[in-house]
Amino acid sequence: MLLEINDLHAHYGKSHIVNGLRMTVASSEIVSLMGRNGSGRSTLLKTVVGLVPSTRGEIRFEGESLARQPSFHVVRSGIGYVPEERLVFPNLTVEENLTVGRQRGRPGTTSWSVDDMYEYFPRLRERKDTHAGNLSGGEQQMLTLCRSLMGCPKLLMIDEPTEGLAPKIVEHLVEVILDIHRRGVAILLVEQKMTIALRISHRCLIMGHGRIVFEGSPDALREDAEVRRNWLEVS
């Protein structure tokens, strides 16, 4: 397994957000992580990448322990992170944001160039000299994804990439994610839209109360109305 998480716990202050979580991601997979708001999905990604310290448990990436390691070490190990908040550098241009994210490729990783990013999103090429703070929300989402790819990750963790985007942009973004995977990058995707998660994933995980409460294929989740009702649907 590329990523292995065992008995992971993490807190925000006194709130116990990730509670004994266990999960894996293989190098060949797209894994979707679903759950209601507040279930701990975003906190899990932040814990893996070192933005939220774990209080107990183990995170291993290619066999190396990453628990309680600083974020720069996690990223250099081969994990890319696309936050829900986008977090572009607003006073840098589009192209400067991309070059800031560049790392030298490691053995066995796909190397990415600025031109690759412009091929995915021609709009970024058009706005390459524009300050990122002046981009639309959709353009900032494109830029954040591309900046993470410039680090040549083996695993890309993407938090709610389609949130607030127009349907046409969502469709293009889904095709880009699928192509990134075809080029050898594993994907851990936090996605609220179940139709997208079921369409592109090899496995679906559902979080509830800070742990994994369902793991199975997209077909298994389609057929399990009780799981969807108990852990996904909003009454």
Side-chain angles (χ1 to χ4, degrees):
M1 285 294 170
L2 190 63
L3 177 69
E4 299 176 272
I5 300 175
N6 288 301
D7 193 30
L8 188 67
H9 296 255
H11 294 70
Y12 274 136
K14 294 183 179 180
S15 298
H16 198 167
I17 306 298
V18 179
N19 188 2
L21 183 138
R22 300 174 187 272
M23 63 168 286
T24 61
V25 179
S27 59
S28 59
E29 286 190 301
I30 299 176
V31 175
S32 285
L33 183 63
M34 293 175 281
R36 293 192 179 107
N37 290 337
S39 61
R41 299 163 302 155
S42 295
T43 302
L44 171 63
L45 298 196
K46 291 177 181 177
T47 304
V48 171
V49 84
L51 296 175
V52 173
S54 60
T55 50
R56 197 169 83 212
E58 189 59 81
I59 303 167
R60 290 192 172 274
F61 186 72
E62 294 190 305
E64 177 191 357
S65 176
L66 294 182
R68 292 167 290 281
Q69 291 291 329
S71 295
F72 71 85
H73 179 82
V74 175
V75 172
R76 289 174 182 172
S77 297
I79 297 179
Y81 171 55
V82 184
E84 180 182 10
E85 302 90 346
R86 293 160 186 165
L87 301 180
V88 297
F89 297 108
N91 295 323
L92 298 182
T93 67
V94 166
E95 191 147 315
E96 287 168 342
N97 267 268
L98 294 175
T99 55
V100 161
R102 179 185 287 141
Q103 291 192 65
R104 186 175 301 171
R106 306 162 199 80
T109 63
T110 303
S111 292
W112 303 88
S113 69
V114 171
D115 283 339
D116 290 328
M117 303 302 101
Y118 292 156
E119 287 295 317
Y120 276 147
F121 300 111
R123 180 62 173 160
L124 294 183
R125 187 193 301 274
E126 295 171 10
R127 309 210 68 190
K128 67 179 183 178
D129 297 320
T130 301
H131 285 157
N134 294 328
L135 300 180
S136 69
E139 291 166 343
Q140 289 187 4
Q141 183 66 280
M142 298 171 197
L143 180 57
T144 306
L145 174 63
C146 290
R147 186 183 61 198
S148 297
L149 270 185
M150 291 293 292
C152 301
K154 290 187 176 180
L155 170 66
L156 188 61
M157 304 191 303
I158 313 175
D159 194 356
E160 295 281 13
T162 66
E163 182 68 26
L165 300 185
K168 186 176 180 180
I169 298 176
V170 169
E171 280 302 307
H172 181 64
L173 189 60
V174 166
E175 291 305 315
V176 168
I177 291 171
L178 289 170
D179 191 66
I180 291 168
H181 176 258
R182 283 192 289 267
R183 294 179 63 175
V185 181
I187 305 289
L188 177 57
L189 175 67
V190 170
E191 181 51 64
Q192 194 70 18
K193 295 182 176 67
M194 191 168 66
T195 54
I196 291 174
L198 294 177
R199 172 179 156 194
I200 71 173
S201 303
H202 300 102
R203 275 193 300 137
C204 296
L205 307 178
I206 298 177
M207 276 189 76
H209 306 311
R211 63 184 188 276
I212 301 299
V213 295
F214 172 88
E215 177 180 352
S217 67
D219 284 343
L221 183 54
R222 285 187 188 97
E223 294 168 2
D224 200 327
E226 183 176 359
V227 164
R228 296 197 310 274
R229 182 172 59 252
N230 290 340
W231 299 106
L232 294 176
E233 295 171 1
V234 179
S235 56

